[in-house]
Amino acid sequence: MYLTYTNISLNMAKLTRQLLCENPIDQYIKWQQDAYEAGGHKLSSMVLATTGLDRNPSVRIVLLKEVTKAGFAFYSNYNSDKGRHIQENPNASILFYWESLERQVRVSGAVEKLTASESDDYFQSRPRGAQIGAIASPQSERIENRSELESRYRVIADKYEGVSVERPKDWGGYRLLPETFEFWQGRSDRLHDRFRYCLDGAGIWVIERLAP
């Protein structure tokens, strides 16, 4: 049995060079705000693609925790698959997709670790259960069953009962430092609007239109 998908373009907007912000971070923030106001986009989930030394791409959804002029911050166990990939090849891509607005944003660049103090501050802002879970879970490693994970959680919870939970040294933040952006606006008849931002040698963002 075959599944057939019909593309129904909402044709909600258009994107022109005149509508774009000169800085792609500003443009991203504008679109993110549009998505929030449109409803159904309360969490800033993004697709993160990494590649290790084996050159096999790996992709997963993570949560964007902060966006600044410097880039896009997210958190993970440093020993996870994504952490090992970033250690081996500190280049990655992220993707945001807002279906109701027919928009997507692709960003590529180098990835760096956040400072220990930045990671400490964010870790302390997390719910206590999430703090304990970050320590209890050997992320991406094989475990025997659910009971093993829950047992590890109880041991850590007992250890820190009545005291603050310390951030484990193998857990913390990353920041993707953008080098290229692509903004995609869906249009009818697949004649979509696509614009790419690239940094030139002087650190200036150059904007060009791409064919859909």
Side-chain angles (χ1 to χ4, degrees), residues 32-58:
Q32 183 189 60
Q33 185 62 37
D34 288 346
Y36 285 165
E37 293 175 358
H41 302 283
K42 301 305 181 185
L43 293 176
S44 295
S45 58
M46 64 184 185
V47 178
L48 170 67
T50 58
T51 306
L53 292 178
D54 61 8
R55 298 186 180 181
N56 291 321
S58 182

Side-chain angles (χ1 to χ4, degrees), residues 12-157:
M12 297 186 66
K14 63 180 179 180
L15 189 62
T16 66
R17 174 63 182 87
Q18 291 71 28
L19 292 173
L20 288 169
C21 300
E22 294 303 313
N23 188 298
I25 293 288
D26 294 334
Q27 183 64 38
Y28 167 79
I29 292 173
K30 180 179 183 300
W31 272 20
Q32 183 189 60
Q33 185 62 37
D34 288 346
Y36 285 165
E37 293 175 358
H41 302 283
K42 301 305 181 185
L43 293 176
S44 295
S45 58
M46 64 184 185
V47 178
L48 170 67
T50 58
T51 306
L53 292 178
D54 61 8
R55 298 186 180 181
N56 291 321
S58 182
V59 64
R60 79 286 287 166
I61 291 178
V62 300
L63 293 182
L64 171 68
K65 291 302 181 179
E66 183 183 40
V67 56
T68 65
K69 293 294 186 182
F72 297 80
F74 59 96
Y75 290 81
S76 176
N77 186 309
Y78 293 146
N79 297 324
S80 65
D81 284 345
K82 74 176 80 67
R84 288 192 289 269
H85 276 186
I86 292 170
Q87 178 66 29
E88 294 171 356
N89 175 19
N91 297 286
S93 293
I94 55 177
L95 170 70
F96 301 90
Y97 178 56
W98 301 294
E99 183 177 12
S100 64
L101 299 178
E102 287 196 290
R103 289 176 175 176
Q104 67 175 339
V105 181
R106 298 167 58 196
V107 190
S108 296
V111 179
E112 65 177 13
K113 282 185 178 179
L114 298 182
T115 65
S117 61
E118 287 175 306
S119 292
D120 287 340
D121 288 345
Y122 173 71
F123 187 80
Q124 292 306 319
S125 75
R126 303 183 89 203
R128 185 177 181 84
Q131 293 175 342
I132 295 171
I135 301 173
S137 174
Q139 190 174 354
S140 299
E141 294 183 14
R142 181 184 179 276
I143 58 175
E144 196 63 33
N145 49 46
R146 173 82 184 186
S147 296
E148 177 185 346
L149 185 62
E150 293 176 348
S151 177
R152 292 172 64 98
Y153 183 95
R154 288 193 295 270
V155 169
I156 300 300

